């Protein structure tokens, strides 16, 4: 099973931004964990991060032809990007929305997810473990 993990804006700053919310792991350490969990589960993962919304949309399109499952953490785009919503809408593969922090208990604007209606599962507030849970969810399908 092939899984695209698409991380968005500002996630490259992990380890240097608000450790109370996002923990102390760097982005590259997070990727290393994701690849090792994927290996344990027998999944082929392609993990990517960008700060460019257009690039993110392109990767959503690429995942249409490649992925059997998609994990997204678009960062702040989650809360307002209808372009990303529409790029993910044609997907028939299951989609999991992951957030390191508990967005449902933070500022009002973070409680809105424009992708929510597309997600087979939403995992928030579990830190890096949220990605493991998302991989397990996809592996079990
Ligand atoms: C985030 C939550 C978003 O509100 C925020 O803008 C991020 C990270 C998370 O993983 O908790 O950049 O998606």
């Amino acid at each position: 099973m092939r899984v695209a993990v698409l991380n968005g804006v500002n996630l490259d700053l992990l380890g240097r931004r608000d450790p109370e919310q996002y923990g102390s792991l760097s982005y590259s350490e997070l990727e290393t964990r994701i690849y090792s969990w994927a290996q344990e589960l027998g999944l082929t993962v392609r993990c990517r991060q960008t700060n460019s919304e257009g690039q993110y949309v392109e990767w959503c399109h690429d995942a249409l032809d490649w992925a059997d499952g998609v994990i997204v953490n678009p960062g702040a785009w989650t809360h307002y990007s209808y372009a990303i919503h529409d790029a993910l809408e044609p997907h028939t593969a299951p989609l999991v929305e992951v957030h390191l922090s508990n967005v449902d208990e933070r500022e009002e604007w973070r409680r809105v997810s424009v992708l929510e209606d597309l997600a087979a599962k939403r995992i928030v507030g579990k830190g890096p473990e949220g990605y493991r849970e998302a991989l397990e969810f996809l592996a079990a399908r």
Side-chain angles (χ1 to χ4, degrees):
M1 180 182 205
R2 295 189 297 209
V3 179
V5 181
L6 303 179
N7 289 305
V9 63
N10 293 318
L11 287 165
D12 56 325
L13 292 181
L14 287 179
R16 291 200 283 161
R17 63 188 290 220
D18 197 351
E20 294 247 316
Q21 294 294 349
Y22 304 116
S24 54
L25 224 57
S26 69
Y27 181 74
S28 69
E29 288 166 337
L30 174 65
E31 275 208 351
T32 302
R33 286 200 189 183
I34 291 170
Y35 282 116
S36 114
W37 290 326
Q39 200 176 11
E40 281 167 29
L41 292 163
L43 301 172
T44 301
V45 159
R46 189 188 276 168
C47 194
R48 292 162 146 179
Q49 187 278 330
T50 181
N51 293 322
S52 155
E53 189 179 359
Q55 178 66 83
Y56 198 89
V57 165
E58 295 290 350
W59 288 344
C60 292
H61 295 177
D62 290 351
L64 265 177
D65 297 323
W66 183 81
D68 307 305
V70 182
I71 297 173
V72 293
N73 180 354
W77 292 326
T78 307
H79 312 303
Y80 64 86
S81 176
Y82 297 110
I84 291 173
H85 175 280
D86 287 355
L88 291 169
E89 195 169 33
H91 282 249
T92 49
L95 177 76
V96 184
E97 180 186 340
V98 171
H99 299 284
L100 295 158
S101 65
N102 188 351
V103 282
D104 293 341
E105 290 184 3
R106 296 181 65 193
E107 302 94 316
E108 206 63 49
W109 59 271
R110 286 187 210 271
R111 297 180 192 183
V112 176
S113 165
V114 299
L115 313 171
E116 196 164 34
D117 63 308
L118 304 175
K121 191 172 173 70
R122 246 181 122 238
I123 301 167
V124 305
K126 297 193 172 170
E129 287 294 316
Y131 289 86
R132 187 216 280 264
E133 201 176 309
L135 291 167
E136 285 170 351
F137 172 80
L138 291 173
R141 282 175 67 113

